[in-house]
Structures are given as C-alpha cells and as structure tokens.
C-alpha cells in the first residue's frame, strides 16, 4: 500500500509541474455554460479551446466551463461530437454562454460509469443505458421492471406473480455455480447489500420507480473492474431524479389504478372427470370417499386484484438550490387471495453549487415503509390436487372448512389441506422501514486547475418485523394448539468513498485520472424468538441471536486517455480486502484494460453522411466475487440445530449447538473477461446500435460439493472446486423510422446469445456424473439436474422416454443407453438446460401529435422446463393413498400412467416463448381549464399474451423446475397525470 501511495504522490507532483508551466502567463478568466440549442439541456465534456493555441478546457457535468485568456481578441472554439463547431470572440465579456446545434443524440448521452460519468461516444467498455423516457410503463412495482427487455445481455425474470416480488437479474448469464449470480446494484453511488431484507420479498421494492431517472448497466470487465470484488456478475447503476438549476416550480401528480387477473390455470381433472377416474381406477374403499360437490379450487383461491398507485412530486430551484421532493403510496392486492403489498415512500434531493460553482453538492435521502401480507403459497399446490368433489366449507370442520380427517376426527396429516383454509387461517405479515441516502461533495481545487476532490458518504439502513399466526382451530395448527412465530432484523450498510479526479485537455488530447479509497461496513442483527402456541407453551425455543458484521476496504484508480477524439484508452485497477475471507486470502487485485478506435473520425470517413459514427472497442479485465453465501466460511463455528435434530433430556427436547463444515483456504472467485465491440450510427442518428462478443472464464469456482465421510464436519462443503466459461454475442439497434414535426416513430430491438460450460470440477472426477442438484416434488430426496464437466450448469438428468405407435409414452419404458439390457442410473442422459441460450427484446414508440403508443415484446429460446406439476400429479397412483384422494393433471388421460415417472424426459418441455410485456396508449390534452395545468391520460395492458408450446401455466420459470408456480397476472391499468 505504501508503494501505491508513493506512486500517487509522484503522479500528482508531475501533474502540478505541468499545470504550473501552463498557467504562468494567464491574465483573465472567462466562464460560461454550454447548452443544447434544441433541448436547452447543459452539455458536459464540451471541448473549449483558444483558437490558434493549445490552451483548452472542458465543460463539467453541468455544462459549465472556465478558461483563462490573454487578450480580448482571443477566439473561443466550442466543439463537441455530434454538434456543429462554434467560434466566439471574447472581447470584453467575462461570461460567454453558448448554444450548440446538434443532431446526433445518442453519441452525446452521458452515462454513469462508477465514480464518474462519460459521454457515450467516449466509452471503451460495454455499457447499456435506459433513461426515463424509454422506461416500461403500466403498474411498475419494482425498479427492475422498468428495463425488462430493453438491454442486450440483461435478462430479468420475475420470481413470481406475487405483488412486490423480486426478479432474477442476470447479466450475460452469471458467472458462478453456487455463489451469487446477482449483479451489484448501486443507487446514487451507494452499493447495496445483495443478501436481502427480512419482511419483504424484493431487495428493490423499497424504491419508488417514479423517482428513477436512469439505469446504466456495466456489462464487461473493463467497465465493471472499478468495483472489483463484487463485479463478476455486472453492475447496475441507478440514478434518481433531481431538480435542475434555474428550473421554475413544477408540481407533478400521477395516479394509476390497475386490475390484475389470472391469465391461465393448471389443467387438472374437473369434478366429473375425477369421478370417472376414481370409479375406473380406484378401489371400492377409495371410491366411497367421493363427495357430491363440484368445486373449482383454483377459482376459489384466485381473485381479480385491484391496485392503486399515487405519486406527487415537487421540483424546481429555490435561491439557486435545485431540489426535488416526492411522496408516493402503492396499495397492490395479489391475485392470490389475502396477498397484499403496501408501500409508502418519500424522497428529497438537493443539488446546489456553491463557491462560484467550485463546490457541487449532491444530497439524497429516500425512505420507505412497506407492509406485506404474505398469502400461503402452499394453497396453489393444494388447489391443484385437492379433491374437486369436496365442498369448501363444513360447519363441523376445522375453522369451518372441509378437511380430510382420521377416524378419531383429527386432521389427516398426509393429506393435502383445504386450499381456502390455508389462505384464510394463516396471518403472515412483514413490515420494513428502510432508508437510503448519501451526501456527495465535489470540489474543484482552486489552486490546481483540473483537479477535483470527491467525497461520498452514504448509508442504507432497514428495520424489519414480522409474525406468522396459525390458529388452533385450523387443521394446520390443531396438533400444536396453534402457532405464533415472530422474527425481526436490523441491517446497516455504511459507506465512505473518497477520490481525486484530474481532467486536462492539451494538444488535441484529453487525460482523465481518478484515484480513490472506499470503505464499506455491513452489520446485520438477527434477534431470535421462541415459537409458541396460543396458550404460550413454547413449541420451538428461541435460538441464538446472530450479529454478523463484515467490512470491505478498497483502493482504486482509473486512467482515461483520448487522442483527437479518435483513439481512446482506459485502464483501471482495484484492490479489495474483505473480512469474509481468512487473512491469507483476504486481498484481491482486479485490473482491466480497454481501447477504442473511433474510425468515423478518420479523414476518410469524417465527412461521410451515411456512416456518421463507427467505433471499435476491445477490453480485458479481472473481477471478483465475495457474495459467497455464509458470511465467514473459513471459520470453525457452531450453529443451533433445527427442530428435526433435537436431543432429549428427560421429557424435554433441546436444540443443540453443532459444528459446521468449513474451509480455511476458501478464496475469491475470479472472472477473466474479454470483450470486443462495435458501435455504429447511420444517417445522423436515424439508425444506431452496437455489437458485442464476449468470453468469460471464472477460476476458483465456488460450489457446494459432496465430501468424503470423516474429512470435514459436513457431507456437503462450500469450497473452490474448478472453472466455468461463458461466451456470447449481443446485438442492439434503434431505428428512428419517422421523424417529422407531427409524427415520430422509434423501433428498437436487442438479441443475445449466451452459452455456459463447466470446464472442471477439481474435487470431482472428470468422468464422474457430477454434482446432483435441482430438488423436485413427488418423493423424498429426488433431483432432476446435474453439474457435469463439459456441460451447461443445471443440465437436466433424465431417462429418454420411449413412445408407442400412437404417440403416447410407454410407462416405465426408456432407451437403454448403455446397451446392457437394464434400465438404471447408467442410462440417465443430460438433456437440455433451464437457462435460455437465446433471448431477445423488441420495442416500439410512436408519437403522433398528442397521441402516443408503445409496446415491448420479449422472449427466450433454446431452453427447457421440467413440468414437476405434471410429473408429481400425473398418475393414477394419486388415487391409491389410504383415507384420502388427490386430484390429477389432465395429462394422465393421455399417458394413463399408473405410477409417478419423475425422471422421464416426457415431462421435459420446450419452454421457448414470446411475451407481449406491455402495450400502452396515451393522449396528452395539453393545458386544460384555461390554466397552466397539463393533463395526460393513458391505458396499459401488461402480460397481454404469451406465445408458447409449454403446457404449464407459464413457461418463464426461474431455475427451470415448474413446481406450483405463482402465476404472472395480466394487468389492465388506467393512469392520469397532472402537471403545473
């Protein structure tokens, strides 16, 4: 570390000498602001130079500049890629404000890159950006829904249709087996803890989507390496909305009402089909169990759900201080009865400039209070299997609901529970108070031109409380006399970043140097509570309260060097130290290099009116992974046993402290990435996009593997085991099809190919089956997936089904792969995988006068889903359990299977789909009531339709195993917006 600081000191000294030589003869300072003539927005990174000299400056993020001139006859030259060059004579002016005329929007967009910003035209890495104008619309509960289907290489799969539920976000497919594959998320410069928050089902549902300005997604290592040990899975930078300098008071009110409906149900036998099956296949004693009701259990548990989303924001500039204040409330019911998510959020942002704009302050505070009523999702599975000839209610039943009972009247423990009873007789609620904020001070040092000091102090804190109550009158709570469980959690994430940035323009070149230090501390408090029954008797004693705390300390640096706006070079390095690893493996170094050539700026293309931008990029970098599940897997430790592993002393059973397995030598995963990209633009921005090819290899792969008995304190150990690779191709394009005064029409699309292979599992023999994963229902301990060398992770591991002449599957007849005449484990094959090899997005936005219309379609191709709903409920075996009956999927009428055939590839289905994510139409009424009040109305349909051959309720299943999935609803929304 001392060497690093010495190098920094020498570099700053050299810069100071260069700066002194340049400024010795300066006499007068001219300041001003450069803006876009068409939009009035400030333009950052505009080159400002004195004609005929090498003296120059660059506008900052607010479009402001300062330059020292020697004579009133000096001429200032303003140049910016995509804008017409402009010259202004200084004369006696001390303030020169300039408007530049331009027509190449996408090149001039400013993107956040981590510890700074850059023009899109200056990027050397792979970065995808979506701004507020292009966000998805409709009932958007969670932030990630804003960009679903919008960015090549970014796949966002909702975890369920529950209100407020999170999503599975993958950037280029992830890079690990068992460690986290979630990207690092940074909000206003504060990196979040990906471990989740108790009492809520989504890390991001605390932030109001109406408060978000932009998403910037860093995809390749040359872009992400500045975040080092947390960047292997990409980085998502979220910037919230701010007030603007000189802005008049603006009040915005929007209200949205939505109705959610179930799009499809699980295809099960109706009451008459079920009676026919029982009479044909079941014994007389089972036939006697049939009832006389006709109940559609899925209709009984699902509902049309109504949601209200109301938001108010006030923004402007008060005495030179830009501000924005917002408050919102969302009350969203789920399509599963009793499901509800309620969020009240507020935020304030202040962005003043002080000391003649030398000190820029960015202050943000956001808070949210969420209340989640969690419906019992077990009701979804119960509704698929509960006897449709039984009624919902029984005056003599448990809590008034019909249930399967034993001869003595007690609940039948092996039988499914009444689905409606499961919902109505369980109160599961979680409350979360969460706040995130930061104070960023950016100071241009007056004694050192071009040098800025930036300090960012941030926090993310949350308090969670929750309880689950099951009454003794319910079948589920009868045996214990009811159940009352409680939980709580407090999380604290503190941040301190400091960096110096030096920016200098000289002789057609631009040098941008950043060097800094980061400190982040994470504390999680998990109190433990006893679970008791209604009489206060302890059912499960309180465990040991845990209070894990870990810290991340980092040093980082970045150099951007540009020559004549043609040749661009970027180098970054970050050194991270994490307390989650042993002292021997605590520190990691993560470097990256990238270069770009703006071929369109060469003499042979500079005046080409067809190919207006053409840039070639090449990048290399190393990133790490510290989200490894357990907080301190290198430490010997004891944990409290679960209820299935208690020890009896006398008449009392006690939870025991038991040793956990550990690996003293566990270390970082490291991912090496190569990226080659091409950015292009045709006809002055009418058609533009990018193409990227990447190769990524993760070394020291973290995974859970079986270990030999007696070698550790566990039979499954989380450790470094091998290597994995992924490679792919990304295509993105936007076409401005029509651009007139009355009519604008933009068409956009993206396509991604991604492939992942396991290269080695060092603790598993190369010719071995591999590591069995992917637990399924229908039995105990069954799995359907495997990690095997030379195959894609989570490959399905099945028997190949044999079919009859009529096309129906033959029960228990499979292809003898080994040729030994016996069907056994040797005949299992790897057949397909759950992650799509191809995925795409297609969107369109059209505006005609006051009307606007948009849609987003997305889809996945080249993957499979295992239909566990059918495999575990698709045989007449369901009619042969003693003392109760189970309904079956209608597929049993096609297969006539007598027993469950869980490993048949018959249940492995092509899950390719195309989903119409949303369709929206709106009309802007302009000023109404002869006032300054503007009014807009819009209507949206989300999940409008899905094109697929998959037989289940939805083909988009995270992990690829369909096991009573909470269905995605179809949502109809109507919204109004007032502004003044």
């Amino acid at each position: 570390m001392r060497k690093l600081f010495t190098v920094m000191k020498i570099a700053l000294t050299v810069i100071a000498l260069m700066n002194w030589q340049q400024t010795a003869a300066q006499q007068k300072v001219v300041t001003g602001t450069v803006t876009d003539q068409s939009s009035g927005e400030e333009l950052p990174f505009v080159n400002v130079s004195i004609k005929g000299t090498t003296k120059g400056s660059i506008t900052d993020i607010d479009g402001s500049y300062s330059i020292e001139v020697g004579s009133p006859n000096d001429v200032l030259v303003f140049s910016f890629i995509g804008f017409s060059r402009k010259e202004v004579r200084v004369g006696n002016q001390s303030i020169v404000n300039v408007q530049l005329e331009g027509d190449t929007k996408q090149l001039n967009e400013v993107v956040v890159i981590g510890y700074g910003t850059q023009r899109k035209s200056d990027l050397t890495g792979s970065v995808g950006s979506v701004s507020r104008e292009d966000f998805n619309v409709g009932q958007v509960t969670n932030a990630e829904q804003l960009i679903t289907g919008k960015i090549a290489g970014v796949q966002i799969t909702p975890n369920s249709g529950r209100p407020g539920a999170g999503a599975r976000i993958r950037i280029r497919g992830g890079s690990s087996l068992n460690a986290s594959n979630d990207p690092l998320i940074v909000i206003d410069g504060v990196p979040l803890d990906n471990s989740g928050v108790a009492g809520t089902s989504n890390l991001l549902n605390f932030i109001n989507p109406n408060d978000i300005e932009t998403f910037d997604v860093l995809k390749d290592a040359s872009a992400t390496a500045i975040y080092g040990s947390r960047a292997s899975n990409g980085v998502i930078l979220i910037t919230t909305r701010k007030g603007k300098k000189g802005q008049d008071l603006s009040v915005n009110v929007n209200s949205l009402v939505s109705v959610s409906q179930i799009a499809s149900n699980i295809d099960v036998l109706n009451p008459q089909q079920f009676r026919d099956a029982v009479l044909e296949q079941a014994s007389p004693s089972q036939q006697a169990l049939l009832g006389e009701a006709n109940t559609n259990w899925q209709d009984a548990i699902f509902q049309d759900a109504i949601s209200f989303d109301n938001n108010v924001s006030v923004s402007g500039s008060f005495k030179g201080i830009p501000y924005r204040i917002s408050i919102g409330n969302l009350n969203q019911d789920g399509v599963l009865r009793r499901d509800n998510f309620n969020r009240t959020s507020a935020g304030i942002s202040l962005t003043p400039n002080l000391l003649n704009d030398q000190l820029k302050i960015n202050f943000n505070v956001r808070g949210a209070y969420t209340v989640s009523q969690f419906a019992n999702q077990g009701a979804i599975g119960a509704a698929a299997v509960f006897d449709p000839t039984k009624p919902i209610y029984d005056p003599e039943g448990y809590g008034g609901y019909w249930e399967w009972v034993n001869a003595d009247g007690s609940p039948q423990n092996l039988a499914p529970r009444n689905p409606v009873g499961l919902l109505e007789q369980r109160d599961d609620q979680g409350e979360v108070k969460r706040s995130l904020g930061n104070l960023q001070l950016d100071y241009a040092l007056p004694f050192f031109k071009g040098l800025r000091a930036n300090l960012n102090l941030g926090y993310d804190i949350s308090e969670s409380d929750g309880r689950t109550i099951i009454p003794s009158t319910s079948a589920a709570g009868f045996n214990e006399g009811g159940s009352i469980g409680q939980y709580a959690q407090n999380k604290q994430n503190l941040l301190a970043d400091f960096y110096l940035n030096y920016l200098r323009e000289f002789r057609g070149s631009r040098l941008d140097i950043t060097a800094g230090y980061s400190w982040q501390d994470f504390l999680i408090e998990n109190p433990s509570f006893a679970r008791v029954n209604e009489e206060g008797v302890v059912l499960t004693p309180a465990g040991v309260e845990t209070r894990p705390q870990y810290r991340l300390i980092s040093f980082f640096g970045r150099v951007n060097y540009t020559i004549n706006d043609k040749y661009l070079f970027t180098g970054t390095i970050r050194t991270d130290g994490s307390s989650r690893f042993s002292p021997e493996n605590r520190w990691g170094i993560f470097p990256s290099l990238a270069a770009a050539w703006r071929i369109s700026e060469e003499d042979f293309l500079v005046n080409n009116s067809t190919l207006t931008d053409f840039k070639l990029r090449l990048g290399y970098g190393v990133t790490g992974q510290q989200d490894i599940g357990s907080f301190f897997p290198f430490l010997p430790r004891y944990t409290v046993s679960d209820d299935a592993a208690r020890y009896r002393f006398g008449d009392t059973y006690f939870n025991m402290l038991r040793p956990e397995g550990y690996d003293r030598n566990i270390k970082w995963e490291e991912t090496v990435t190569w990226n080659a990209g091409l950015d292009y633009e045709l006809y002055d921005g009418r058609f533009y996009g990018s193409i990227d090819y990447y190769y990524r290899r993760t070394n020291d792969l973290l995974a859970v593997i079986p270990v030999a008995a007696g070698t550790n304190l566990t039979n499954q150990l989380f450790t470094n085991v091998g290597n994995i690779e992924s490679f792919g191709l990304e295509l993105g394009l936007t076409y401005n099809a029509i651009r007139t005064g009355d009519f604008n029409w933009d068409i956009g699309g993206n396509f991604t190919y991604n492939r992942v292979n396991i290269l080695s599992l060092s603790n598993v023999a190369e010719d071995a089956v591999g590591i069995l994963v992917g637990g399924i229902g229908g039995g105990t301990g069954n799995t359907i997936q495997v990690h095997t060398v030379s195959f894609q992770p989570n490959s399905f591991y099945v028997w190949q089904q044999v079919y009859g002449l009529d096309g129906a599957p033959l029960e228990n007849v499979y292809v003898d792969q080994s040729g030994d005449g016996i069907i056994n484990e040797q005949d299992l094959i790897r057949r397909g995988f759950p992650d799509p090899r191809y995925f795409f997005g297609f969107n369109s936005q059209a505006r005609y006068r006051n009307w606007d219309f948009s849609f987003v379609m997305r889809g996945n191709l080249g993957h499979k889903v295992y239909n566990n709903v059918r495999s575990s409920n698709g045989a007449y075996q369901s009619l042969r359990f003693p003392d109760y009956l189970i309904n079956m999927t209608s597929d049993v009428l096609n297969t006539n299977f007598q027993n469950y055939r869980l490993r048949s590839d018959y249940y492995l289905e092509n899950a390719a789909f195309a989903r119409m994510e949303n369709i929206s139409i709106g009309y802007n009424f302009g000023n109404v009531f002869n006032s300054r009040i503007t009014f807009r109305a819009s209507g949206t349909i989300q999940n409008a339709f899905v094109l697929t051959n998959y037989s289940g309720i939805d083909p988009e299943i995270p992990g690829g195993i369909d096991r009573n999935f909470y269905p995605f609803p179809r949502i109809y929304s109507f919204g109004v917006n007032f502004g003044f």
Side-chain angles (χ1 to χ4, degrees):
M1 290 306 147
R2 290 181 178 177
K3 291 182 178 179
L4 178 63
F5 283 123
T6 301
V7 171
M8 291 173 61
K9 291 177 181 178
I10 293 173
L12 290 175
T13 301
V14 171
I15 292 171
L17 290 173
M18 295 168 63
N19 189 76
W20 176 81
Q21 290 177 344
Q22 191 72 24
T23 60
Q26 294 171 344
Q27 299 175 1
K28 177 182 177 180
V29 177
V30 175
T31 61
T33 302
V34 183
T35 57
D36 184 337
Q37 180 174 303
S38 60
S39 67
E41 294 184 354
E42 299 87 356
L43 294 177
F45 310 119
V46 175
N47 295 321
V48 184
S49 62
I50 300 176
K51 189 173 183 179
T53 74
T54 59
K55 294 181 180 180
S57 180
I58 300 173
T59 59
D60 61 18
I61 193 67
D62 297 317
S64 301
Y65 73 93
S66 174
I67 190 170
E68 292 162 335
V69 298
S71 168
N73 295 321
D74 285 344
V75 176
L76 299 182
V77 180
F78 299 85
S79 60
F80 194 30
I81 295 174
F83 284 82
S84 301
R85 173 187 171 108
K86 191 165 188 176
E87 297 184 0
V88 178
R89 182 177 176 275
V90 173
N92 295 322
Q93 303 175 91
S94 59
I95 298 177
V96 178
N97 296 323
V98 173
Q99 290 185 328
L100 296 185
E101 182 180 357
D103 52 11
T104 314
K105 177 185 175 183
Q106 68 99 15
L107 291 178
N108 308 311
E109 293 176 353
V110 176
V111 297
V112 180
I113 57 171
Y115 307 105
T117 57
Q118 268 190 311
R119 287 183 304 181
K120 194 170 184 179
S121 59
D122 290 341
L123 293 175
T124 57
S126 181
V127 179
S129 299
V130 181
S131 60
R132 183 164 51 92
E133 294 80 7
D134 299 318
F135 285 161
N136 291 330
V137 295
Q139 180 54 67
V140 177
T141 303
N142 305 318
E144 66 272 11
Q145 294 176 258
L146 294 170
I147 60 170
T148 300
K150 292 284 189 174
I151 302 177
V154 180
Q155 185 185 23
I156 300 176
T157 305
N159 288 328
S160 81
R162 162 175 278 170
R168 181 177 181 261
I169 305 175
R170 295 292 178 266
I171 298 176
R172 295 182 168 179
S175 62
S176 184
L177 286 182
N178 288 101
S180 173
N181 278 307
D182 296 327
L184 174 67
I185 298 174
V186 182
I187 300 178
D188 286 335
V190 180
L192 303 187
D193 171 16
N194 277 344
S195 62
V197 177
T200 187
S201 54
N202 182 10
L203 177 71
L204 286 178
N205 66 18
F206 79 98
I207 186 169
N208 190 333
N210 288 279
D211 290 339
I212 296 177
E213 182 69 29
T214 61
F215 274 81
D216 294 290
V217 181
L218 314 183
K219 295 187 286 186
D220 73 331
S222 65
T224 64
I226 196 71
Y227 286 104
S229 64
R230 295 174 287 178
S232 285
N233 300 308
V235 180
I236 296 178
L237 305 173
I238 299 175
T239 303
T240 58
R241 298 173 66 178
K242 312 287 193 298
K244 294 183 178 180
K245 186 177 180 180
Q247 177 186 352
D248 293 332
L249 173 66
S250 174
V251 179
N252 189 277
V253 180
N254 64 72
S255 183
L256 187 77
V257 60
S258 304
V259 177
S260 302
Q261 298 178 338
I262 286 294
S264 62
N265 285 321
I266 300 172
D267 189 9
V268 298
L269 298 183
N270 63 38
Q272 188 56 51
Q273 290 173 321
F274 184 72
R275 288 188 177 94
D276 293 342
V278 171
L279 293 175
E280 180 180 340
Q281 297 286 337
S283 66
S285 61
Q286 295 296 97
Q287 293 174 13
L289 298 175
L290 282 170
E292 298 180 356
N294 294 290
T295 304
N296 186 320
W297 288 103
Q298 294 182 80
D299 284 351
I301 66 170
F302 291 121
Q303 65 180 359
D304 288 350
I306 299 178
S307 304
F308 299 95
D309 191 0
N310 301 296
N311 296 275
V312 179
S313 67
V314 180
S315 60
S317 181
F318 178 72
K319 294 185 177 180
I321 301 177
Y323 64 88
R324 185 177 187 273
I325 302 171
S326 64
I327 187 169
N329 177 260
L330 167 68
N331 188 8
Q332 183 177 13
D333 285 334
V335 290
L336 184 62
R337 286 171 54 175
R338 288 184 61 80
D339 241 346
N340 178 267
F341 176 69
N342 189 292
R343 176 184 64 216
T344 301
S345 61
I348 182 170
S349 172
L350 303 174
T351 54
N353 293 347
L354 305 177
L355 306 178
N356 295 322
D357 290 341
Q358 289 183 311
L359 176 62
K360 302 180 188 301
I361 300 175
N362 191 342
F363 174 74
N364 303 282
V365 173
R366 311 204 168 272
Y369 173 61
T370 64
V371 179
S372 299
Q373 183 70 42
F374 300 110
N376 188 345
Q377 292 193 51
I380 299 175
V385 300
F386 209 84
D387 183 352
T389 68
K390 295 296 185 290
I392 298 175
Y393 304 104
D394 177 8
E396 304 298 325
Y398 288 92
Y401 297 95
W402 196 96
E403 298 282 3
W404 292 105
V405 296
N406 297 313
D408 62 359
S410 61
Q412 165 63 265
N413 289 328
L414 298 179
R417 297 278 181 243
N418 184 308
V420 179
L422 287 175
L423 291 175
E424 299 297 337
Q425 298 181 103
R426 179 187 176 98
D427 184 10
D428 186 352
Q429 187 177 99
E431 299 181 7
V432 179
K433 301 171 185 176
R434 187 171 181 182
S435 178
L436 179 143
N438 74 304
L439 172 64
Q440 188 173 50
L441 306 175
D442 189 285
Y443 183 56
L445 301 178
F447 54 84
F448 203 123
K449 184 181 177 182
L451 183 64
R452 297 165 35 242
N454 188 290
L455 174 66
N456 185 30
L457 304 176
Y459 72 91
D460 177 13
I461 57 176
S462 64
E463 296 180 2
S464 305
D465 294 285
R467 79 294 187 267
T468 303
I469 301 174
I470 302 174
S472 60
T473 56
S474 68
F478 174 79
N479 291 331
E480 293 183 321
S483 172
I484 302 173
Q486 184 180 355
Y487 63 86
Q489 183 187 70
N490 297 315
K491 298 188 70 173
Q492 176 182 280
N493 168 8
L494 302 179
L495 171 75
D497 287 340
F498 177 78
Y499 65 86
L500 295 173
N501 175 259
Y502 178 75
L503 183 63
R504 174 168 179 170
E505 180 98 8
F506 56 96
R507 296 184 181 179
S509 300
R510 183 166 59 250
L511 179 64
D512 186 342
I513 303 174
T514 299
Y517 167 83
S518 179
W519 174 94
Q520 196 163 10
D521 183 86
F522 303 89
L523 172 64
I524 305 174
E525 297 177 338
N526 296 301
S528 183
F529 303 90
R531 187 172 66 91
V532 300
N533 65 15
E534 290 179 351
E535 296 181 354
V537 177
V538 175
L539 302 174
T540 305
V544 177
E545 178 177 335
T546 62
R547 196 176 182 272
Q549 182 176 16
Y550 64 97
R551 187 167 294 166
L552 188 67
I553 294 176
S554 312
F555 300 90
F556 59 88
R558 177 176 57 218
V559 176
N560 291 316
Y561 185 57
T562 303
I563 303 175
N564 296 328
D565 282 326
K566 298 180 186 178
Y567 315 109
L568 305 98
F569 305 92
T570 301
T572 66
I573 187 168
R574 181 166 177 134
T575 300
D576 278 338
S578 173
S579 61
R580 299 181 72 169
F581 297 93
S582 67
E584 297 84 6
N585 297 305
R586 184 155 294 171
W587 288 90
I589 299 176
F590 307 99
S592 76
L593 293 171
W597 177 23
R598 298 198 67 236
I599 305 173
S600 55
E601 293 301 303
E602 295 291 351
D603 292 341
F604 56 86
L605 280 177
V606 71
N607 293 318
N608 190 297
S609 60
T610 301
L611 188 61
T612 50
D613 186 63
F614 194 60
K615 181 172 67 175
L616 180 66
R617 294 179 279 104
L618 182 64
Y620 161 86
V622 180
T623 52
Q625 170 70 283
Q626 74 137 15
D627 287 336
I628 54 176
S630 173
F631 287 106
F632 307 106
F634 72 94
L635 286 176
R637 62 199 185 281
Y638 287 82
T639 58
V640 179
S641 67
D642 56 32
D643 290 348
R646 293 192 285 178
Y647 197 84
R648 181 177 179 180
F649 286 97
D651 294 330
T652 306
Y653 290 86
F654 294 90
N655 293 79
M656 307 300 291
L657 286 173
R658 57 185 183 184
E660 292 289 335
Y662 69 96
D663 180 5
R664 177 70 183 179
N665 297 316
I666 195 169
K667 57 183 178 180
W668 308 91
E669 278 185 348
E670 289 192 348
T671 300
V672 178
T673 302
W674 288 91
N675 191 94
L678 187 67
D679 298 329
Y680 60 89
E681 179 188 270
L682 303 173
Y683 305 110
D684 292 328
R686 293 290 296 270
F687 189 100
Y688 60 88
S690 62
I691 303 172
D692 279 272
Y693 174 82
Y694 60 88
Y695 174 83
R696 183 165 59 179
R697 177 186 172 113
T698 299
N699 301 314
D700 297 320
L701 187 68
L702 289 165
V704 177
I705 64 169
V707 293
T711 61
N712 210 298
L713 297 169
T714 182
N715 61 352
Q716 297 280 326
L717 184 66
F718 189 69
T719 186
N720 302 98
V721 297
N723 307 301
I724 192 172
E725 70 172 1
S726 64
F727 54 90
L729 182 69
E730 298 171 352
L731 306 175
L733 60 91
T734 299
Y735 175 47
N736 185 224
I738 299 175
R739 188 163 54 187
T740 67
D742 288 336
F743 189 25
N744 275 346
W745 182 21
D746 292 328
I747 302 171
N750 61 81
F751 174 84
T752 303
Y753 165 76
N754 182 72
R755 182 164 183 171
V756 184
N757 293 316
I758 299 174
L759 296 178
S760 66
L761 296 171
S762 57
N763 290 359
V764 178
E766 297 295 322
D767 59 349
V769 168
I771 304 172
L772 298 176
V773 294
I776 57 175
T780 302
N782 288 317
T783 61
I784 201 66
Q785 295 172 326
V786 66
H787 295 323
T788 306
V789 173
S790 299
F791 289 87
Q792 184 143 329
N794 301 298
S795 293
F796 292 104
Y797 198 46
V798 293
W799 281 312
Q800 185 178 352
Q801 180 68 52
V802 174
Y803 296 83
L805 295 177
D806 60 354
L810 301 177
E811 184 165 13
N812 205 29
V813 180
Y814 307 106
V815 174
D816 183 7
Q817 305 288 343
S818 63
D820 60 1
I822 302 172
I823 299 299
N824 55 23
E825 301 292 313
Q826 304 301 316
D827 298 301
L828 291 167
I829 59 173
R830 296 156 191 85
R831 198 174 186 87
F833 34 82
D835 294 319
R837 186 154 287 181
Y838 312 92
F839 55 94
F840 65 88
F842 180 71
N843 62 83
S844 176
Q845 292 178 314
R847 293 180 178 86
Y848 177 70
R849 295 184 177 176
N850 290 3
W851 289 94
D852 59 83
F853 172 80
S854 66
F855 71 83
V856 176
M857 175 177 275
R858 62 183 181 86
N860 296 345
L861 303 167
H863 67 299
K864 295 184 181 296
V865 164
Y866 176 74
N867 195 331
N868 197 198
V869 176
R870 279 190 169 188
S871 68
S872 61
N873 299 309
Y876 292 116
Q877 180 180 343
S878 298
L879 305 178
R880 300 183 184 124
F881 295 106
D883 303 323
Y884 62 93
L885 297 172
I886 291 179
N887 198 5
M888 299 164 288
T889 58
S890 59
D891 180 60
V892 71
L893 302 178
N894 301 321
T895 66
N896 288 306
F897 282 175
Q898 295 296 315
N899 296 298
Y900 302 137
R901 303 300 173 185
L902 299 177
R903 285 200 163 180
S904 170
D905 72 350
Y906 171 76
Y907 298 108
L908 201 58
E909 300 187 41
N910 180 359
F913 71 88
R915 184 190 305 276
M916 182 59 74
E917 186 74 14
N918 65 64
I919 304 173
S920 178
I921 187 170
Y923 185 79
N924 191 337
F925 291 86
N927 292 59
V928 294
F929 310 124
N930 294 320
S931 68
R932 297 179 60 187
I933 299 176
T934 60
F935 174 65
R936 182 181 182 273
S938 63
T940 304
I941 303 176
Q942 294 166 259
N943 191 25
F945 59 83
V946 180
L947 304 176
T948 183
N949 290 324
Y950 180 64
S951 65
I953 58 173
D954 200 287
E956 194 170 14
I957 306 294
I961 299 175
D962 186 355
R963 191 176 178 182
N964 299 315
F965 187 69
Y966 193 130
F968 302 135
R970 180 164 297 132
I971 304 175
Y972 303 88
S973 302
F974 175 75
V976 294
N977 178 274
F978 293 92
F980 55 89

